[in-house]
Amino acid sequence: MPERRKVLIIGSGPAGLTAAIYAARAQLEPLIIEGEPSSNSDQPGGQLMLTTEVENYPGFVDGVMGPELMGIMRAQAIRFGAELRTAKVSKLDLAGGSPFGAWVGDPDAAEPTIAADALIVATGARSLMLGVPNEDRLLGYGVSTCATCDGFFFREHHIAVAGGGDSALEEAMFLTRFATKVTVIHRRDALRASKIMQDRALANPKIEFAWNTQVTDILGDTKVAGLKVRDTVTGAESELDVTGLFVAIGHEPNSTLLKGQLELLDNGYVRTIEGTTRTSVDGVFACGDVQDDYYRQAITSAGSGCMAAIDAERWLEARGE
Amino acid sequence: MSEKIVSLSDATFDEHVKASDVPVLVDFWAEWCGPCKMISPVLEEIAEEQAGKIEIVKLNIDDNLDVTRRFEVMSIPTLILFKDGEPQVRLIGAKPKGALLEEISAYL
């Protein structure tokens, strides 16, 4: 028999854990399937587990370390009785309406592991890779998606960061602690990053910009020995002499689990009804980055996690449960 | 931390890894690495459950650059499984328990 729960939350970033805190305080005894360890951002605690200092989360005058902030949120959820499991949901069945089936482990098992009256999806987003030759082979040998994990190994090296948003500039700035030079490779001639981050990066003497440039291949037998790059305007090809490449070109939603189960936008994000966390399936709510390709902040994720818990609570109440 | 997991250093690494009767899984880690913290409890569980079949040890890369450089660790967490003092398998990045066990199962 599937384990019956009033509220099941999938994901444990700021959205999932805030939903957990609210649902637990509302006596809904939520179960959180928090994910499994990995070194990309699809993991317990979410994307903040791979960051260092978070300066813009309200309540922390001097900033807070990303992993520490997630540890605090987790402890807060547990304090109110939320139950967390370090596992991944392998399959969902939303077709028959509430209760919704969720499989943990073998997706071919006849019965779901959990049957939930209300479901909160907070699976977040993960880093995109470049998709160029040799990227997979050299991941961990000079190619990295985690500057905070791997920057240390590039003391006195020249390294490259691919990307032009806030995360790319944050990584570049962090890496200047170790590297002699950091080249930010961006395929356009202007950055997407916020003004404050741009000003800081442009003023940093160790950071150079390769504008209108795209990485086409990664060179090296046993570790990164250089990059092949192309000028996106002239098409001219050249090589960049670096020993490391940090990839920060953006994110994609962790919504594979939801395909064919509820309505997704063309870009893979979950469609929610504006001003709410309701999805196309009655009783299923979505919060955080899996439904937000615009704000994508820890605080907006937490805010929408709170909304999802309240939406779920009122939905359960309205059905008389 | 589990009593079964000892911390090695540049000074003690070679002797300890060679002297072990069972395969030794070395966890290259650092205080500032989020994914390293995530796999810590997983490694503690494996150390308890597989006691006698495998030994798990930690090596702090900040304090022990010689061993870290010798094995060309460039990303953490990195786990290297040694048998008779020789590296057999290298796992880069945090992984779930099931995936970790599967990778090292041939040596248990």
Side-chain angles (χ1 to χ4, degrees):
Chain A
M1 280 286 284
E3 176 184 348
R4 189 69 182 257
R5 305 295 295 222
K6 281 196 242 32
V7 175
L8 174 66
I9 300 171
I10 311 175
S12 58
L17 290 179
T18 305
I21 291 167
Y22 274 78
R25 294 192 76 240
Q27 314 286 336
L28 295 171
E29 297 159 346
L31 171 67
I32 299 94
I33 303 293
E34 65 173 347
E36 289 189 321
S38 85
S39 282
N40 64 30
S41 40
D42 176 20
Q43 63 192 333
Q47 294 167 61
L48 285 185
M49 294 303 286
L50 301 185
T51 63
T52 50
E53 194 86 6
V54 180
E55 290 185 331
N56 55 8
Y57 199 86
F60 297 89
V61 180
D62 301 315
V64 57
M65 300 301 274
E68 192 193 343
L69 178 61
M70 297 323 297
I72 296 170
M73 284 192 202
R74 195 174 186 275
Q76 196 176 354
I78 290 170
R79 184 187 150 209
F80 294 114
E83 186 187 341
L84 283 101
R85 274 184 215 157
T86 310
K88 265 196 140 163
V89 173
S90 54
K91 191 170 90 176
L92 284 173
D93 180 10
L94 312 182
S98 176
F100 306 105
W103 279 254
V104 175
D106 181 11
D108 297 322
E111 282 203 324
T113 323
I114 301 149
D117 293 323
L119 177 67
I120 296 177
V121 178
T123 46
R126 74 175 122 203
S127 316
L128 280 168
M129 297 302 288
L130 290 165
V132 300
N134 299 310
E135 185 180 37
D136 281 351
R137 185 173 60 83
L138 293 169
L139 190 64
Y141 298 93
V143 177
S144 174
T145 56
C146 179
T148 55
C149 306
D150 302 339
F152 173 85
F153 300 101
F154 295 87
R155 240 171 247 281
E156 308 297 311
H157 287 233
H158 175 200
I159 52 191
V161 173
D166 273 342
S167 13
L169 296 191
E170 259 166 49
E171 297 222 331
M173 251 155 342
F174 176 77
L175 291 167
T176 59
R177 296 186 198 184
F178 310 102
T180 46
K181 187 160 88 174
V182 177
T183 302
V184 175
I185 302 174
H186 187 42
R187 60 197 162 123
R188 283 185 272 275
D189 62 0
L191 298 163
R192 286 193 310 276
S194 60
K195 186 76 172 61
I196 183 169
M197 295 299 290
Q198 291 199 29
D199 289 347
R200 282 188 198 171
L202 291 164
N204 191 315
K206 281 188 174 179
I207 298 180
E208 276 184 6
F209 288 86
W211 303 108
N212 298 317
T213 303
Q214 204 167 11
V215 178
T216 56
D217 195 3
I218 303 166
L219 309 169
D221 289 335
T222 56
K223 50 189 175 184
V224 172
L227 304 176
K228 272 195 178 163
V229 295
R230 181 166 53 217
D231 188 309
T232 56
V233 179
T234 65
E237 306 227 347
S238 57
E239 281 183 17
L240 190 65
D241 184 23
V242 295
T243 51
L245 171 66
F246 289 78
V247 182
I249 54 169
H251 296 91
E252 60 182 345
N254 295 317
S255 60
T256 315
L257 197 59
L258 307 165
K259 269 190 193 131
Q261 297 286 337
L262 50 73
E263 197 186 340
L264 303 178
L265 301 169
D266 289 342
N267 58 9
Y269 286 80
V270 175
R271 184 192 288 281
T272 49
I273 295 168
E274 206 172 336
T276 76
T277 61
R278 281 185 277 145
T279 67
S280 63
V281 176
D282 196 34
V284 178
F285 306 89
C287 52
D289 281 9
V290 74
Q291 52 86 55
D292 174 15
D293 65 346
Y294 186 74
Y295 299 105
R296 298 182 296 143
Q297 303 300 304
I299 187 65
T300 51
S301 281
S304 70
C306 163
M307 289 165 64
I310 292 175
D311 285 345
E313 185 189 355
R314 295 199 177 145
W315 183 82
L316 287 167
E317 260 170 30
R319 321 159 82 207
E321 285 181 23
Chain B
M1 201 199 295
S2 163
E3 286 164 17
K4 291 199 167 61
I5 299 184
V6 297
S7 287
L8 299 185
S9 68
D10 281 344
T12 60
F13 184 86
D14 285 322
E15 200 180 334
H16 190 104
V17 167
K18 277 188 191 119
S20 178
D21 297 332
V22 292
V24 181
L25 186 68
V26 184
D27 172 23
F28 292 83
W29 73 286
E31 197 56 56
W32 36 261
C33 159
C36 297
K37 292 201 174 125
M38 243 181 284
I39 61 163
S40 255
V42 173
L43 294 176
E44 281 171 27
E45 280 176 34
I46 296 178
E48 295 284 339
E49 290 163 11
Q50 308 287 334
K53 288 200 248 172
I54 190 168
E55 189 192 351
I56 299 183
V57 298
K58 282 179 170 282
L59 187 99
N60 183 313
I61 61 149
D62 272 326
D63 304 334
N64 301 290
L65 276 176
D66 285 350
V67 172
T68 304
R69 287 208 179 110
R70 178 143 48 99
F71 293 99
E72 297 194 313
V73 173
M74 291 179 76
S75 176
I76 52 171
T78 283
L79 301 172
I80 304 181
L81 185 86
F82 289 82
K83 202 178 172 196
D84 304 322
E86 292 298 319
Q88 309 288 330
V89 185
R90 176 186 284 244
L91 305 170
I92 293 172
K95 288 181 171 42
K97 187 178 173 186
L100 270 179
L101 279 172
E102 200 172 305
E103 300 256 15
I104 59 172
S105 61
Y107 298 90
L108 292 178

